[in-house]
Amino acid sequence: MESLLSSSPTQFFSLQSSLFSSNLTRPTRLLTHSSKPRLQPLSCTVSHSSQTEAKAKEAKLWGGRFEDSVTDIVEKFTESISFDKQLYKHDIMGSKAHAAMLAQQGLISISDRDSILQGLEEIERCIEGGEFVWRTDREDVHMNIEATLTDMIGEPAKKLHTARSRNDQVLTDFRLWCRDAIDRIIGSIKHLQVALVSLALENEGLIVPGYTHLQRAQPLLLQHLLLAYVEQLERDAGRLLDCRARLNFCPLGACALAGTGLPIDRFMTSDALGFTAPLRNSIDAVSDRDFVLEFLSANSIIAMHLSRLGEEWVLWASEEFGFITPSDSVSTGSSIMPQKKNPDPMELVRGKSARVIGDLVTLLTLCKGLPLAYNRDLQEDKEPTFDSVKTIVGMLEVSAEFAQNITFNEDRIKMALPAGYLDATTLADYLVKKGMPFRTSHDIVGQSVALCVSKNCQLQDLSLDELRSLSPVFENDVYEFLGVENAVKKFCSYGSTGLECVDSQLDYWVTKLKMNQN
């Protein structure tokens, strides 16, 4: 099966920042200006000739029935522009598609459509050029862009919100943003997978103690251990792709909650924005955030996996283990103890997992008691989502950076291997191969370990006579099963830590991640 991560995110789910990109062919034909004279250049500076907001409050776009303005305290408490302005690109994308559809359906003129499109392009240019002034009195990203567009082009801008509510507008923007965020995270997952597989390739044949209950259990090839994290990350990517497929439905045209009586074409806007289809139920379209909950849940599982990796490497970097040495470039020191060299990045990976999990809990708590349909509480869905994405991308990136800057200390690891009788289970398998029931062999090997403890030696140091005193089944070939190197050679089940099995796993991942093409 082809890897979930065999290509970059933009290859399996391409989403360009402009409505005119090559993969959105339908609106490109609708929005062409080739047959019409070019409009005069516009400037977004018309919306903020003064660098400070006017003392008199601007009338709200929704304020027709209101006689009084909201107080400053209410305005500051309810604004969302301080964080939702990062949706600007997706808001403009959605508005372009909506304007094109309105013109196609005869709800606005071609001339109005062209003015709207040109104005939106100029606003996007101003935002990206740092020339745009975001105004808190315009509440959110949607009102800032629409009000600025009205300042720029006048009456045509007032037609843009035809058959649209901020309810379906923000959900469209948010789904587009989450779709892009998922693609970015999947790219970061692949980067970490490649780093771990590369680390495995660099440490061929290195045997390390394997642990259960943080007690020594059986010998493992280090490569096998590293590939366990690669497998977990692949499932993480799969969960994100599943989430992406479920969130890729378009709310635009659901309006406030009931749809509209105007003859819009929701399939046109859905197609233009790269969605699978419009959401079937207009109430559901604007009221649920399960797609974000699923997204943050997937992020939380990624964070948990990374936290476990971080914990293992923090332990292994300690003097007590001494299995790895991080380079100076991924370590920090102590302000008081000059000898210290701390693996701080992985400690923070472990710690920041709490933020990602907390973001999920925040949103679950936010949504649990809300009646249908839209409620203003849902404005609070953005910040935990933005934080979750920023944090998980940072965790993935620093984990990959750390993996590329550590050294495994072979001598220290080899010194540690004799402790713990890691070959005991292999010795039990030997007796099973001789025809002994496993429970009997388990008991005899337990007695063998007890004998070693009393003699302060290893299983391979016991003489054949000593072994035969515990069971006459033991023969000279028993020594082919003793010692960690021999034990690893005896593993042969599919997915095990045996040499051939691990080589097969490595070949699989090198091919799947297309590392042999680099």
Side-chain angles (χ1 to χ4, degrees):
M1 182 183 292
E2 180 65 16
S3 170
L4 295 173
L5 305 181
S6 61
S7 58
S8 67
T10 53
Q11 288 176 305
F12 45 55
F13 283 118
S14 178
L15 176 61
Q16 303 298 326
S17 63
S18 170
L19 186 61
F20 304 100
S21 59
S22 59
N23 64 316
L24 302 181
T25 55
R26 185 173 178 182
T28 301
R29 291 193 298 271
L30 292 170
L31 305 185
T32 180
H33 301 290
S34 59
S35 61
K36 294 194 172 293
R38 182 69 177 172
L39 298 176
Q40 292 299 312
L42 301 172
S43 173
C44 63
T45 56
V46 69
S47 67
H48 54 83
S49 56
S50 169
Q51 293 301 306
T52 58
E53 295 178 13
K55 292 182 180 180
K57 282 187 169 65
E58 180 179 72
K60 304 294 186 184
L61 295 181
W62 45 260
R65 65 148 290 175
F66 290 82
E67 296 181 2
D68 297 324
S69 300
V70 297
T71 66
D72 290 342
I73 291 176
V74 170
E75 188 162 84
K76 289 178 182 178
F77 186 73
T78 58
E79 67 83 20
S80 61
I81 190 60
S82 56
F83 54 86
D84 69 13
K85 60 187 177 184
Q86 65 179 284
L87 296 174
Y88 78 88
K89 187 178 292 291
H90 305 92
D91 192 72
I92 290 172
M93 287 173 60
S95 290
K96 287 180 177 178
H98 190 65
M101 181 275 295
L102 292 176
Q104 179 74 13
Q105 297 301 106
L107 293 169
I108 64 173
S109 68
I110 298 299
S111 175
D112 286 344
R113 178 201 68 184
D114 291 345
S115 295
I116 290 169
L117 295 177
Q118 187 185 10
L120 290 171
E121 288 173 357
E122 176 62 17
I123 289 172
E124 185 172 10
R125 185 198 66 77
C126 289
I127 294 172
E128 294 180 348
E131 305 169 22
F132 193 89
V133 173
W134 298 101
R135 295 176 48 163
T136 57
D137 64 327
R138 288 177 173 175
E139 299 181 27
D140 56 32
V141 62
H142 324 293
M143 290 301 192
N144 265 264
I145 290 175
E146 184 178 339
T148 301
L149 184 66
T150 302
D151 291 343
M152 290 171 63
I153 67 172
E155 286 298 310
K158 297 179 180 180
K159 301 177 182 180
L160 177 58
H161 210 55
T162 303
R164 186 175 72 171
S165 163
R166 272 192 296 180
N167 294 357
D168 61 333
Q169 184 179 0
V170 67
L171 262 297
T172 301
D173 298 355
F174 203 21
R175 284 174 182 260
L176 290 171
W177 188 92
C178 288
R179 196 170 69 182
D180 282 353
I182 287 173
D183 291 348
R184 182 182 177 193
I185 294 170
I186 289 175
S188 295
I189 288 175
K190 178 180 178 181
H191 181 52
L192 177 54
Q193 285 183 302
V194 169
L196 291 171
V197 173
S198 297
L199 198 58
L201 292 170
E202 293 166 8
N203 290 276
E204 182 178 2
L206 180 57
I207 299 173
V208 297
Y211 296 83
T212 63
H213 309 279
L214 208 55
Q215 303 294 318
R216 295 188 173 222
Q218 291 179 277
L220 298 172
L221 286 172
L222 173 64
Q223 296 169 305
H224 194 220
L225 186 69
L226 293 172
L227 291 180
Y229 287 107
V230 177
E231 294 281 356
Q232 291 167 13
L233 289 165
E234 183 75 358
R235 291 193 297 275
D236 291 334
R239 274 183 285 272
L240 287 172
L241 288 173
D242 289 344
C243 173
R244 194 189 194 283
R246 270 184 289 277
L247 72 77
N248 199 40
F249 289 83
C250 187
L252 199 57
C255 299
L257 76 162
T260 179
L262 296 171
I264 61 173
D265 185 348
R266 292 189 63 208
F267 287 89
M268 177 181 171
T269 48
S270 173
D271 181 55
L273 294 169
F275 286 111
T276 303
L279 284 158
R280 281 189 298 267
N281 185 292
S282 62
I283 301 173
D284 173 59
V286 299
S287 64
D288 205 353
R289 296 298 187 274
D290 57 354
F291 70 96
V292 187
L293 291 168
E294 184 176 5
F295 184 17
L296 298 198
S297 177
N299 281 353
S300 296
I301 297 173
I302 297 171
M304 177 272 296
H305 283 150
L306 295 179
S307 181
R308 296 185 70 183
L309 175 65
E311 168 70 1
E312 189 145 71
W313 281 355
V314 167
L315 286 174
W316 283 20
S318 68
E319 289 293 336
E320 284 70 22
F321 279 81
F323 289 178
I324 64 171
T325 300
S327 73
D328 291 352
S329 61
V330 292
S331 303
T332 63
S334 166
S335 63
I336 188 173
M337 295 170 284
Q339 83 280 13
K340 293 294 293 299
K341 183 177 181 180
N342 302 323
D344 276 14
M346 298 313 292
E347 292 180 54
L348 282 171
V349 164
R350 188 178 59 192
K352 286 180 181 290
S353 65
R355 284 182 61 159
V356 179
I357 294 168
D359 289 330
L360 170 61
V361 173
T362 296
L363 198 56
L364 282 167
T365 307
L366 172 71
C367 294
K368 72 173 184 63
L370 295 182
L372 295 178
Y374 178 80
N375 297 274
R376 189 65 179 269
D377 313 50
L378 294 172
Q379 176 175 296
E380 295 299 303
D381 61 358
K382 312 291 182 308
E383 289 180 287
T385 304
F386 295 159
D387 181 70
S388 176
V389 170
K390 179 181 177 181
T391 305
I392 206 69
V393 169
M395 291 170 68
L396 287 163
E397 289 178 349
V398 82
S399 296
E401 187 77 6
F402 198 84
Q404 294 165 347
N405 287 278
I406 59 174
T407 303
F408 286 91
N409 303 321
E410 292 190 35
D411 292 341
R412 180 69 177 268
I413 292 170
K414 287 178 180 177
M415 289 174 57
L417 285 172
Y421 307 101
L422 302 178
D423 49 355
T425 305
T426 308
L427 182 59
D429 290 343
Y430 167 83
L431 293 173
V432 169
K433 288 182 178 181
K434 294 291 185 177
M436 183 179 292
F438 176 76
R439 285 299 172 198
T440 305
S441 71
H442 185 284
D443 184 61
I444 290 173
V445 173
Q447 296 175 44
S448 303
V449 170
L451 179 59
C452 288
V453 171
S454 68
K455 291 172 59 67
N456 192 27
C457 68
Q458 300 298 311
L459 286 168
Q460 61 189 347
D461 297 328
L462 295 175
S463 68
L464 183 59
D465 286 342
E466 288 173 318
L467 289 170
R468 289 179 68 85
S469 70
L470 300 173
S471 172
V473 174
F474 285 114
E475 299 178 8
N476 279 325
D477 61 350
V478 68
Y479 294 102
E480 297 175 9
F481 289 76
L482 297 177
V484 293
E485 290 83 3
N486 285 332
V488 166
K489 291 177 183 177
K490 297 302 180 182
F491 286 100
C492 60
S493 61
Y494 177 79
S496 73
T497 196
L499 293 170
E500 291 184 5
C501 299
V502 172
D503 283 344
S504 176
Q505 291 176 51
L506 275 170
D507 289 343
Y508 173 82
W509 282 110
V510 167
T511 300
K512 197 168 191 181
L513 296 171
K514 300 189 181 299
M515 294 174 63
N516 50 5
Q517 297 179 8
N518 295 335

